[in-house]
Amino acid sequence: MASEAPGAAFVALGLAAPLVRALVKEGYERPTPIQSQSIPEALSGRDLLGCAQTGTGKTASFVLPILQRLSKTQRHGGIRALVLTPTRELAAQIGERVTAYGRHLGLRHTVIYGGVGQRPQEENLAKGPDLLVATPGRLLDLMQQGFVRLDRVEVFVLDEADRMLDMGFIHDVRRVVAALPKQRQTLFFSATMPREIAALADNILVDPARVSVTPARAAADTVEQSIFFVEKADKRALLEQLLRTSSVERALVFTRTKHGANRISEQLVRVGIEALAIHGNKSQGARERALDRFRRGVTPVLVATDIAARGIDVEGVSHVINYDLPNVPESYVHRIGRTGRAGATGSAISFCDSEERALLADIEKLLRRRIPVAEGQAPPVETAAARPAARPEPRPAARPEPRRAFAPEPQRPRGPRPPRPPRGRRS
Ligand code: AMP
């Protein structure tokens, strides 16, 4: 509707004018689906169970109702809202969103996470924030030392609950929950709902409204997915070739191990492609510097492990490249959610070597669909044979000469070797 006043769609959700002004300033035109569903429920004071991954706009769907509530109730000097999130990157990003959305409200917030000095966080806590964003470990430390009290929290958000479980934080989460008042509003977000997470939700939510925008298997529609069947030894050359194509503006490359992330970024730098690695062994400062360079486009390639990449919120990631397939199929969904964000299109390219076929099968089972084989590449024969129902038998005789999907790399004129015959291992 061209004649609609700016922000009208947010007003319609029940958001107050100062928040809507901030959203207009952010350039948001209309709510994302998770926001349309969650905001009215959360504003009504109900508990909420949200199934949504990062990239859907879920942060605003809890931050906006909290800010509205805090702006309308009495300040008492204690923490009135707590957002618990698994990683420091996510915590920092949520903090930034609170600053942006709350710019006209004059509320106080602070962010605490581990891996950095505690002192400045103690000082910020002493100023009496209304809203606290925290990772579980540092929060518990500060609680034990008496710097944080949660007994006056009115709203509690558990963000990325499934990731808390993956990262081994679930006991810490339970301990934090035990310190909260029973009488409160709880907003619970998780991209996937494994059994333990569903049980936790059951335990801590009271008659929640349920909203879901991306069930675990539904990869963002805006992401174009493809797969290359490539042997391990050829992955490096293929990656270089892909990164040299002009459509790759900003690429996030995923590896399974920290060591792999380091090795690949060093190899890319050696062949003249600017790249940095980000993983759990890097200091907080190094991670932030790498992210900042990536965000500003100074370094167009970031090589990351799953956990380090969690919560990376960078606009304009044109490509996610899965150098290794993840062991956990849900991680595939999280990974590809780094591109195609907030309506932009993106491309997710995965490499699959002969030892990763079982992982691919698990991912496709979760997605309930096949990932198309990259243009110009025939599926390996054994894969086609193992997929009789949906993929036609390749017809090598009738098939036209495969078209190159990417420009040849200058030093190595040859494209990636065609997949080798099966080694007899297949899931
Ligand atoms: P999130 O899923 O919360 O990490 O948000 C993903 C990205 O979408 C962030 O960069 C937000 O700033 C952006 N975003 C959130 N809501 C909207 C909206 N309604 N319109 C446009 N962009 C949005």
Side-chain angles (χ1 to χ4, degrees), residues 313-324:
D313 180 15
V314 177
E315 285 181 14
V317 173
S318 63
H319 289 71
V320 163
I321 301 179
N322 292 314
Y323 191 91
D324 300 314

Side-chain angles (χ1 to χ4, degrees), residues 10 28 30-32 35 54-59 97 313 315 342:
F10 292 104
Y28 297 0
R30 56 194 63 258
T32 67
Q35 291 163 6
T54 304
T56 55
K58 81 174 152 64
T59 312
R97 293 294 87 205
D313 180 15
E315 285 181 14

Side-chain angles (χ1 to χ4, degrees), residues 227-232 234 352-354 357 373 376-383 402 415-423:
I227 189 120
F228 275 93
F229 291 102
V230 58
E231 280 313 323
K232 207 175 255 143
D234 297 325
C352 177
D353 66 36
S354 52
R357 298 280 163 73
V373 178
Q377 214 207 21
V381 173
E382 86 269 36
T383 304
R417 261 178 264 153
R420 290 180 193 139
R423 287 177 181 158

Side-chain angles (χ1 to χ4, degrees), residues 49-103:
L49 178 56
C51 199
Q53 63 185 100
T54 304
T56 55
K58 81 174 152 64
T59 312
S61 68
F62 60 78
V63 169
L64 294 169
I66 288 181
L67 292 177
Q68 179 141 326
R69 178 175 177 150
L70 297 185
S71 71
K72 292 194 167 155
T73 53
Q74 201 60 39
R75 179 179 256 166
H76 50 57
I79 294 162
R80 294 190 286 153
L82 170 69
V83 178
L84 203 57
T85 193
T87 68
R88 3 181 189 194
E89 284 81 8
L90 273 169
Q93 280 165 20
I94 294 168
E96 279 167 22
R97 293 294 87 205
V98 173
T99 306
Y101 304 149
R103 67 175 82 234

